[in-house]
Amino acid sequence: MEFKDYKKLSLANDIVILTATDKPEDDKRKVPEKTLQILLIKRYEEPYNGFWSLPGGFVDYDKNLDYCAREKLYAKTGIKNLYMEQLYTYGDTNRDERGRVVSVAYLALVKKSDITIQISQKTDSSSASWFSIEPIRKADEIVDVNLISEDGHLIVKDLAFDHKQMVIDALNRLQNKIEYTDLAFNLVPEFFTVKELQMVYECILGRAIQAFRRKISDKIKPADKMKDDGSAYRPAQLYRFDNKHSKF
Ligand SMILES: O=P(O)(O)OC[C@H]1O[C@@H](O)[C@H](O)[C@@H]1O
């Protein structure tokens, strides 16, 4: 067969954008636990009209794949310059009823403080929203997920297309990579306490980590600052990422 004889496919990008944020905390004296959140977009057209979905879209014929993913992300959410890696390629023949659409999914990590303002500036910001992630694990693997709106009222169990599987795969990727890479530092501000960093690791892994300070010590360095939250307690030392050991 010649090139012209092969039927052409359509190509899409989808992006799993994750951030870590404080869980609502009753006891104001404690460092709040963290929860992972994901940015979803509401669809206002068929297929899956009215469903929540990952930000994404079709790849432009004349643009590079990674460039397109970043451009679509910016167009739909106002976010740019964030950590992003390819996750997986989703190619089931029936994944999109409009035709043969293969989607290359990306995992993006972002500090929430960097992007809140940009989202609120978007004209259609009402269609973009953060959801807290409640992973369902079997042994150590994440096998399903519930997504809960920030006010806790809406629980999303199904997403458009195969996007829920993309979310599950992204969470497993993050969980598997976090212990041997520096990925977690994309989810904390420039200055953080050891306890805050530990909470980020623990919410990704879904379990407590013993002797965390010792395990992390060669990746962080003290900053010339203390965290004073106004409480009667001693201010905590702030640290920053020490990227001399970075694998990136
Ligand atoms: O959002 P539109 O442009 O309709 O279509 C793009 C979507 O079509 C799906 O196959 C992809 O997963 C992507 O999210």
Side-chain angles (χ1 to χ4, degrees):
M1 275 215 309
E2 290 181 46
F3 178 72
K4 66 175 172 47
D5 300 322
Y6 287 97
K7 281 177 94 174
K8 302 292 179 279
L9 315 169
S10 296
L11 191 62
N13 289 140
D14 287 296
I15 307 152
V16 181
I17 308 169
L18 301 178
T19 194
T21 191
D22 291 348
K23 259 190 189 171
E25 184 60 66
D26 293 336
D27 183 352
K28 293 275 178 287
R29 291 168 306 170
K30 281 192 353 204
V31 176
E33 284 183 32
K34 303 280 179 196
T35 181
L36 277 183
Q37 288 193 324
I38 184 167
L39 188 69
L40 298 178
I41 306 276
K42 187 112 176 233
R43 287 184 66 81
Y44 290 115
E45 56 191 353
E46 297 294 349
Y48 294 99
N49 192 358
F51 276 66
W52 290 92
S53 70
L54 295 174
F58 286 98
V59 174
D60 294 322
Y61 189 83
D62 55 350
K63 288 186 184 144
N64 291 340
L65 194 58
D66 288 357
Y67 175 85
C68 247
R70 286 187 182 275
E71 196 184 54
K72 288 272 157 38
L73 177 66
Y74 183 65
K76 293 208 176 184
T77 65
I79 303 170
K80 56 181 168 185
N81 296 330
L82 73 178
Y83 176 83
M84 209 154 128
E85 66 175 48
Q86 273 193 23
L87 176 64
Y88 189 72
T89 303
Y90 295 79
D92 280 6
T93 50
N94 60 355
R95 62 170 300 284
D96 188 325
E97 67 184 42
R98 292 170 294 188
R100 184 81 173 93
V101 183
V102 172
S103 180
V104 179
Y106 288 76
L107 165 63
L109 301 177
V110 63
K111 306 175 204 322
K112 197 162 183 198
S113 56
D114 287 356
I115 56 168
T116 312
I117 300 160
Q118 286 163 314
I119 286 177
S120 65
Q121 282 169 349
K122 274 276 297 167
T123 44
D124 63 347
S125 60
S126 60
S127 66
S129 197
W130 290 99
F131 286 79
S132 293
I133 295 173
E134 194 182 81
I136 298 161
R137 290 183 168 82
K138 263 201 190 134
D140 274 346
E141 194 187 351
I142 295 164
V143 292
D144 202 354
V145 72
N146 289 326
L147 304 166
I148 300 151
S149 63
E150 285 195 301
D151 62 9
H153 284 120
L154 178 64
I155 300 180
V156 176
K157 289 183 179 291
D158 287 310
L159 295 177
F161 306 101
D162 46 5
H163 291 186
K164 187 171 184 182
Q165 189 57 48
M166 295 179 185
V167 175
I168 293 169
D169 293 343
L171 293 171
N172 279 310
R173 166 79 63 90
L174 181 60
Q175 179 174 277
N176 292 335
K177 279 184 86 171
I178 194 171
E179 285 185 287
Y180 68 91
T181 69
D182 303 324
L183 281 186
F185 293 94
N186 292 289
L187 294 168
V188 289
E190 184 182 2
F191 302 105
F192 49 81
T193 66
V194 171
K195 193 69 192 167
E196 285 167 345
L197 183 62
Q198 180 171 357
M199 294 296 186
V200 169
Y201 272 83
E202 289 184 348
C203 88
I204 291 168
L205 293 169
R207 60 176 167 79
I209 305 173
Q210 305 305 322
F212 179 77
R213 186 178 289 268
R214 181 172 53 73
K215 289 177 181 153
I216 207 72
S217 61
D218 67 340
K219 290 189 178 195
I220 60 175
K221 57 185 175 191
D224 198 11
K225 289 167 182 273
M226 306 292 279
K227 177 163 183 160
D228 188 354
D229 56 10
S231 70
Y233 289 80
R234 211 154 52 95
Q237 173 69 50
L238 285 167
Y239 290 81
R240 60 196 308 181
F241 176 43
D242 186 356
N243 65 3
K244 69 177 181 295
H245 300 287
S246 175
K247 298 180 177 66
F248 294 94

